[in-house]
């Protein structure tokens, strides 16, 4: 059957090739996954089960259940001191993935330029292209993978229409502090950029509170914030996220969502209310375990003499690979030593020479995987 030119122009994701290779092998420890190894908090699962037992299996309002949107508004107000109207300024989506997709299709016109800090999450450039936009790669700082106003300027983002990023970052684990974000916000205001801020890893920071760019003066009106339940609440398979934006942007997103999706999964919406309202302790426990693993992995790379900047967010570290050829390194590491990790070049040219190592894996496996990496590099 004919596949559209629009689709054929976008290459398939490079991550899959490594998972397929890994699946064919025995005794592989995977440091390649981008999802929590925990289960969702029991109270959230129970709320989902309860909703099924009561037969709550119909569609919800297009924008999501009103009580969930109220919980989201309360959570965001408490966390960031930002007010979003549950009726007009919040939309519940099928994961952040759908949120980013509908936002790009609703707010980006054909030919619009969207600046994307590099290396970047694999879905962004395809998403921009599917929406008819042009991605503009923006290098980040070499040492810490932070986005700066200077880099935006040098890349020509002053003439762009929008900026799309995620911090805490996938694949590098970098974060942007309040001081880091302030000049980026000023740049966006000065050059009238719409900002798409994917904050899906907002709860997973170590030693720093997450700052949302929407909190800076004049930014709430030009920012779409995406967040969701996949990472902080270990609910990847329940497929639930949300977007916060000014009413006209949410109405535009809902125009696509109501035709393409109707509504996000109902069972997950019940779980999400419980997650937001009653699962802070479980989230704190998961964060503390990620932090222990993060420190372990960083210290092991240091012992091996492998350069790895101190990632302070998400559940990834991004070491430099000895020899610089990340594809060859990842392939040999997998085939000869049974450790799967993702070559940095999958995340764009600026990821070349690095490996994305996920520590969303138990400490025992991490110990064994790091020992195998040590054997390989020595
Ligand atoms: N955004 C980023 C930066 C991610 O890393 C991921 C998943 O890895 C997603 C979005 C997808 O999130 P969801 O499961 O909510 O669709």
């Amino acid at each position: 059957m004919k596949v559209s030119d629009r689709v054929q122009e976008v290459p398939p994701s490079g991550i899959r090739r490594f998972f397929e290779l890994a699946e064919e092998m025995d005794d592989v420890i995977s440091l390649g996954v981008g999802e929590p190894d925990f289960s969702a908090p029991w109270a959230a699962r129970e709320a989902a089960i309860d909703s099924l037992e009561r037969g709550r299996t119909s569609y919800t309002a297009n924008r999501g259940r009103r009580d969930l949107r109220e919980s989201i508004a309360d959570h965001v107000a408490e966390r960031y001191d930002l007010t979003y109207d549950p009726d007009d300024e919040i939309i519940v989506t099928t994961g952040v993935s759908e949120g980013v997709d509908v936002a790009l299709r609703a707010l980006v016109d054909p030919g619009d330029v969207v600046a994307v800090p590099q290396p970047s999450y694999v879905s962004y450039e395809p998403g921009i292209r599917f929406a008819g936009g042009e991605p503009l790669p923006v290098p980040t700082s070499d040492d810490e993978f932070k986005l700066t106003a200077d880099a935006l300027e040098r890349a020509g983002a002053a003439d762009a229409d929008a900026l799309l990023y995620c911090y805490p970052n996938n694949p590098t684990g970098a974060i942007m502090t309040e001081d880091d974000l302030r000049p980026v916000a000023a740049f966006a205001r000065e050059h009238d950029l719409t900002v798409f801020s994917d904050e899906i890893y907002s709860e997973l920071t170590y030693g720093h509170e997450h700052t949302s760019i929407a909190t800076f003066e004049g930014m709430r009106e030009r920012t779409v914030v995406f967040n969701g339940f996949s990472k902080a609440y270990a609910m990847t398979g329940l497929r639930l996220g949300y977007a916060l934006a000014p009413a006209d942007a949410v109405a535009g997103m809902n125009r696509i969502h109501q035709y393409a999706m109707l509504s996000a999964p109902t069972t997950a919406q019940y779980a999400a209310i419980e997650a937001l309202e009653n699962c802070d302790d479980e989230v704190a426990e998961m964060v503390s375990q990620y932090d222990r693993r993060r420190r372990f992995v960083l210290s092991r790379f240091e012992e091996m003499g492998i350069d790895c900047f101190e990632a302070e967010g998400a559940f990834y570290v991004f070491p430099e690979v000895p020899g610089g050829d990340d594809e060859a390194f990842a392939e040999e590491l997998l085939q000869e030593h049974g450790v799967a990790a993702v070559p940095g070049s999958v995340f764009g040219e600026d990821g070349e020479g690095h490996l994305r190592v996920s520590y969303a894996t138990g400490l025992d496996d991490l110990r064994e995987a790091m020992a195998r990496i040590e054997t390989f590099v020595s």
Side-chain angles (χ1 to χ4, degrees):
M1 203 175 275
K2 177 180 172 293
V3 174
S4 72
D5 293 344
R6 192 179 60 251
V7 167
Q8 292 198 57
E9 276 159 16
V10 175
S13 160
I15 286 193
R16 285 257 48 100
R17 193 171 79 82
F18 271 82
F19 285 135
E20 278 157 20
L21 273 177
E23 267 164 23
E24 287 164 13
M25 294 173 55
D26 295 328
D27 187 31
V28 171
I29 302 177
S30 180
L31 308 182
V33 285
E35 64 176 330
D37 55 317
F38 300 105
S39 297
W42 175 242
R45 283 185 272 158
E46 216 170 27
I49 294 165
D50 180 64
S51 76
L52 289 171
E53 279 179 352
R54 287 166 189 266
R56 309 254 198 264
T57 51
S58 13
Y59 298 128
T60 68
N62 293 139
R63 290 168 186 229
R65 286 185 59 86
R66 178 88 180 30
D67 49 2
L68 172 56
R69 282 180 278 134
E70 276 169 19
S71 290
I72 293 167
D74 290 347
H75 172 78
V76 171
E78 193 186 306
R79 195 82 170 64
Y80 302 103
D81 200 17
L82 281 170
T83 310
Y84 286 92
D85 183 341
D87 287 325
D88 297 331
E89 297 181 317
I90 299 176
I91 180 168
V92 177
T93 54
T94 305
V96 166
S97 305
E98 193 227 346
V100 172
D101 178 49
V102 293
L104 290 170
R105 286 196 282 151
L107 307 181
V108 170
D109 272 318
D112 278 2
V113 173
V114 183
V116 185
Q118 302 294 309
S120 82
Y121 176 51
V122 289
S123 299
Y124 292 163
E125 296 197 17
I128 293 165
R129 289 201 191 281
F130 289 139
E134 279 294 319
L136 174 72
V138 180
T140 50
S141 61
D142 289 341
D143 46 348
E144 289 188 301
F145 299 100
K146 289 182 191 274
L147 175 64
T148 64
D150 276 356
L152 284 162
E153 186 78 55
R154 276 198 302 274
D159 298 323
D161 300 283
L163 166 65
L164 163 60
Y165 67 73
C166 72
Y167 282 102
N169 185 260
N170 178 5
T172 63
I175 60 162
M176 292 279 281
T177 63
E178 191 176 345
D179 286 345
D180 297 327
L181 272 177
R182 189 170 293 109
V184 172
F187 186 94
R189 276 195 308 268
E190 186 185 343
H191 300 290
D192 196 21
L193 303 185
T194 296
V195 176
F196 298 106
S197 179
D198 179 346
E199 302 183 12
I200 192 164
Y201 295 101
S202 61
E203 302 305 309
L204 309 185
T205 57
Y206 314 102
H208 291 272
E209 279 273 293
H210 170 68
T211 302
S212 173
I213 198 164
T215 55
F216 291 93
E217 202 189 327
M219 289 307 292
R220 186 191 174 288
E221 299 79 65
R222 62 175 61 256
T223 303
V224 183
V225 175
F226 305 98
N227 212 325
F229 299 88
S230 287
K231 312 293 175 172
Y233 301 99
M235 284 169 45
T236 46
L238 296 191
R239 311 304 307 125
L240 209 70
Y242 58 86
L244 313 166
D248 50 358
V250 167
M253 292 170 67
N254 192 39
R255 186 80 57 84
I256 300 175
H257 170 83
Q258 71 186 180
Y259 290 120
M261 200 59 67
L262 281 81
S263 60
T266 301
T267 312
Q269 295 191 42
Y270 285 97
I273 296 172
E274 190 62 27
L276 283 174
E277 294 184 356
N278 291 313
C279 296
D280 287 358
D281 291 348
E282 287 84 345
V283 174
E285 175 54 30
M286 288 188 265
V287 172
S288 113
Q289 293 206 37
Y290 287 135
D291 193 20
R292 267 185 71 197
R293 300 166 181 186
R294 178 185 73 98
R295 283 182 278 121
F296 169 72
V297 170
L298 287 171
S299 69
R300 290 294 279 120
F301 278 127
E302 195 179 337
E303 278 165 22
M304 291 178 218
I306 291 181
D307 279 338
C308 187
F309 95 102
E310 195 186 333
E312 292 173 302
F315 35 58
Y316 310 107
V317 295
F318 206 58
E320 287 179 24
V321 300
D325 185 342
D326 56 290
E327 287 266 346
F329 185 91
E331 201 148 339
E332 201 175 333
L333 181 62
L334 176 62
Q335 285 178 337
E336 305 298 325
H337 301 272
V339 177
V342 185
S345 50
V346 160
F347 305 94
E349 257 175 47
D350 290 29
E352 276 173 17
H354 293 83
L355 203 62
R356 190 193 73 173
V357 171
S358 160
Y359 49 87
T361 300
L363 261 181
D364 288 346
D365 274 353
L366 279 178
R367 274 194 198 95
E368 171 63 21
M370 297 309 285
R372 293 184 188 185
I373 294 175
E374 189 165 37
T375 308
F376 177 34
V377 298
S378 60

